[in-house]
Amino acid sequence: MPAATRARWVLAGATSVALVASGCSSSGGGGSSSDSSKTFSYQSSEPQNPLQPANANETGGGRIIQNLFKGLVDYDPSNATIRMQVADSINTSDSQTFNVTLKSGWTFHDGTPVKSNNFVDAWNWAATTTNNQINSSWFSDIEGYQDVHPASGQPTTTKMSGLTVVDDTHFTIKLRNKVSYFEYKLGYIAFSPLPDAFFSDPTGYGQKPVGNGPYQFVSWDHNQQVVTKTYPNYQGVDKPKNGGVVFKMYSTAEAAYADLQSNNLDVMDQVPPSALATYKNDLGDRAIDSPQGAIQNVGFTLYQADWAAPEKAQVRQGISMAIDRDTITKTVLQGSRAPASAWVAEGVEGYKAGQCGEFCTFNPDKAKQLIAQGGGVPGNKLAITYNADGGHKEWVDAVCNSIRQSTGVDCVGDPKPDFKTARAAITGHQIDGMFRTGWVQDYPLNANFLADVYRTGAASNDFGYSSAQFDKLSTQADQADSVQGSVTGYQQAEAVLATDMPAIPLWYYRTNSGYSSNVQNVAFDSFGNPAWTQVEVKG
């Protein structure tokens, strides 16, 4: 997820075809006895939408859903390579038609078997425009998507012609065009199966989901917590070593960190900026500092007339050059972030430094020049919208101070009380000017940071950005003969963003986190997630 799972916009701030991964980091050796029946708690945020797999592209809902559901494949937390889960095999000879064979024995939490139709029916429902699923565009590669999700008007059918059930354990996927890396995309939560009972009451199901993952839903106390428990009949390769996860909602990262220190919270998402200088001393060997495939950006509302004119690209370039990334990452963020020079995160296959060119280099004089050439910032004032529960105030204020001091443009932070509220305002186009857009990989290829965010009509294109050149290069990249060809093609598409600057890259994330003395064997993957099922609760 705004990624998670995986396509997800990320909550916290201060924060080779084998798919280069950042790997895991763990400070816990697991030396004490554990109790596999006990649950552990995790810092979370209120989901933006009901808990439906295709209706989450932010971490609040995404991380919960990725634990309640399991798709055809997922990613090994130790190296981010693809591993089969519900699928026994996925075969293709042309990167356009894929033959899927399911493993036997998988069941949903209501005891019903997971069959081919549970995938096909779920994907058709999610793609159909009348069901208003935020991740519907993830199915746009499949032949017949345009019939269930037309650009305008009502769908002519509710079934994509590219999906065919052969029998209970076999189905085929035919794409509109070949996509060399399509198998990697199948690990995203939108491609989860749904039980037959879902379709009789999708709304009610969103409040009490029934999945097929390692954990099953117990309760949702809105704005407080979501409780899960281990599903005893889970058939995946990652069987839980604990009794479940409690996702606790926090209004501030500082409150979560205080609970972590007092053992009232077991695992954090990210420590707040105020703790970056001290958390390693505070937590000792329970502190986490590991790479993460994620980036912090600020985006523009290109759907507004004030920002839509072509010359405003120069204004956006100028604003980018007015931001002193080096100083902010070294001081406010205590060296925990690396200044960004591209729109793809470090450690992701296809990352290419310097794609932003001179526009990600601090240069106040050139910044003022570009802003003037573009006709100036509308009203000579900027507001950056962000979620106040994610530890962003310090860096947003620093970015605004840099812009103000470098250019004379007034800049202020626009805090929303929580992640859900901020995301609702962003997806509802209720933002005026700029907003933070932290992104964590859904799959570790540069295509995820580019096509799934900047392509016209993409699920996470909250800017209203549309570039015929970017779209053309993205399509060409998709149709390359190999994954490496797609990676190279997307590097060419990324270069277009420097010209248009729909979003400004700020810095690359690391996972700066920690855990309580109640748990052990805590490791984080390159997606910024703990290896949930491997966490052990001390006995």
Side-chain angles (χ1 to χ4, degrees):
M1 94 207 195
T5 162
R6 303 198 235 253
R8 66 191 185 270
W9 293 113
V10 66
L11 160 70
T15 288
S16 47
V17 165
L19 297 187
V20 176
S22 305
C24 289
S25 175
S26 174
S27 302
S32 302
S33 62
S34 61
D35 186 341
S36 61
S37 68
K38 289 185 176 180
T39 63
F40 71 94
S41 57
Y42 181 81
Q43 176 196 2
S44 188
S45 60
E46 178 72 2
Q48 180 187 2
N49 297 312
L51 294 173
Q52 301 158 324
N55 214 13
N57 67 352
E58 36 70 48
T59 52
R63 282 178 174 151
I64 297 169
I65 289 171
Q66 71 171 262
N67 282 291
L68 297 177
F69 290 86
K70 193 62 68 174
L72 297 173
V73 302
D74 69 358
Y75 312 96
D76 190 316
S78 67
N79 57 20
T81 54
I82 291 175
R83 62 184 181 186
M84 295 291 142
Q85 287 283 16
V86 184
D88 186 56
S89 64
I90 303 173
N91 297 312
T92 182
S93 59
D94 59 5
S95 296
Q96 187 169 3
T97 298
F98 295 79
N99 298 304
V100 179
T101 300
L102 303 183
K103 295 173 183 172
S104 299
W106 277 77
T107 59
F108 289 102
H109 301 152
D110 62 4
T112 58
V114 178
K115 300 178 181 179
S116 297
N117 69 282
N118 296 114
F119 284 95
V120 169
D121 292 349
W123 299 1
N124 279 324
W125 186 88
T128 301
T129 187
T130 49
N131 293 321
N132 298 313
Q133 296 295 282
I134 198 168
N135 287 324
S136 57
S137 68
W138 278 79
F139 302 94
S140 60
D141 294 321
I142 300 173
E143 185 178 83
Y145 174 79
Q146 67 278 7
D147 298 322
V148 303
H149 201 109
S152 60
Q154 294 296 305
T156 57
T157 181
T158 57
K159 295 182 179 180
M160 290 180 282
S161 57
L163 297 178
T164 303
V165 172
V166 178
D167 57 36
D168 284 351
T169 57
H170 297 84
F171 70 97
T172 61
I173 309 166
K174 184 177 182 182
L175 308 183
R176 289 192 288 175
N177 301 287
K178 68 179 182 180
V179 178
S180 63
Y181 59 95
F182 183 71
E183 186 176 340
Y184 301 123
K185 299 176 75 170
L186 291 173
Y188 182 51
I189 56 170
F191 292 98
S192 301
L194 291 170
D196 295 342
F198 167 88
F199 302 97
S200 62
D201 185 15
T203 301
Y205 178 99
Q207 298 300 315
K208 297 180 179 180
V210 175
N212 67 318
Y215 301 106
Q216 64 185 103
F217 177 85
V218 175
S219 63
W220 183 359
D221 185 3
H222 286 276
N223 299 301
Q224 298 295 322
Q225 63 182 19
V226 170
V227 178
T228 72
K229 65 179 180 180
T230 295
Y231 179 52
N233 295 324
Y234 177 62
Q235 296 298 308
V237 299
D238 52 336
K239 295 187 184 299
K241 296 180 179 179
N242 52 66
V245 187
V246 178
F247 296 87
K248 296 178 68 173
M249 319 305 178
Y250 285 91
S251 59
T252 67
E254 288 75 13
Y257 187 61
D259 268 6
L260 184 77
Q261 290 178 289
S262 60
N263 284 330
N264 291 318
L265 172 69
D266 292 319
V267 183
M268 281 206 75
D269 176 52
Q270 293 272 21
V271 301
S274 58
L276 282 171
T278 62
Y279 85 102
K280 291 182 181 179
N281 286 331
D282 294 341
L283 301 176
D285 62 4
R286 293 183 286 109
I288 296 284
D289 182 1
S290 65
Q292 184 182 140
I295 188 172
Q296 184 75 267
N297 304 322
V298 286
F300 293 89
T301 53
L302 304 186
Y303 49 81
Q304 291 184 312
D306 286 345
W307 287 106
E311 64 271 14
K312 290 304 178 186
Q314 294 183 86
V315 176
R316 298 190 290 272
Q317 292 167 340
I319 293 170
S320 179
M321 297 189 78
I323 300 171
D324 188 351
R325 295 165 178 78
D326 286 338
T327 298
I328 294 171
T329 53
K330 289 175 182 176
T331 57
V332 177
L333 299 175
Q334 297 291 319
S336 65
R337 303 288 181 266
S341 64
W343 285 265
V344 175
E346 289 182 308
V348 173
E349 180 73 0
Y351 166 72
K352 184 178 180 180
Q355 289 281 64
C356 188
E358 66 173 329
F359 303 124
C360 284
T361 301
F362 182 53
N363 187 332
D365 291 337
K366 185 67 177 289
K368 287 185 284 190
Q369 177 185 339
L370 286 169
I371 290 172
Q373 289 174 352
V377 171
N380 202 45
K381 184 175 183 179
L382 289 171
I384 301 177
T385 297
Y386 66 95
N387 56 299
D389 60 346
H392 302 293
K393 183 182 189 304
E394 292 87 348
W395 72 256
V396 170
D397 288 348
V399 166
C400 274
N401 287 338
S402 186
I403 293 171
R404 188 184 309 109
Q405 293 169 10
S406 300
T407 66
V409 173
D410 188 20
C411 182
V412 297
D414 173 31
K416 302 301 181 185
D418 52 42
F419 195 40
K420 178 181 180 180
T421 304
R423 288 299 306 156
I426 291 167
T427 57
H429 288 182
Q430 299 167 355
I431 302 299
D432 185 10
M434 297 175 68
F435 53 95
R436 69 160 289 267
T437 65
W439 185 261
V440 62
Q441 65 188 13
D442 303 311
Y443 52 94
L445 283 176
N446 60 348
N448 178 232
F449 287 79
L450 300 170
D452 296 316
V453 181
Y454 300 104
R455 182 177 261 161
T456 301
S460 297
N461 185 345
D462 297 322
F463 324 101
Y465 175 60
S466 181
S467 164
Q469 185 181 10
F470 180 89
D471 291 349
K472 177 182 177 181
L473 291 170
S474 296
T475 299
Q476 291 175 353
D478 284 348
Q479 298 178 24
D481 291 333
S482 65
V483 174
Q484 188 55 51
S486 292
V487 164
T488 302
Y490 270 107
Q491 289 174 338
Q492 296 171 357
E494 184 181 10
V496 175
L497 300 180
T499 301
D500 297 337
M501 199 63 70
I504 294 173
L506 293 178
W507 40 78
Y508 307 121
Y509 274 88
R510 290 184 68 82
T511 296
N512 299 110
S513 181
Y515 54 95
S516 76
S517 60
N518 298 325
V519 293
Q520 59 190 6
N521 199 35
V522 180
F524 278 73
D525 61 21
S526 62
F527 295 87
N529 297 322
W532 310 95
T533 59
Q534 302 310 296
V535 174
E536 298 176 1
V537 183
K538 294 180 182 179

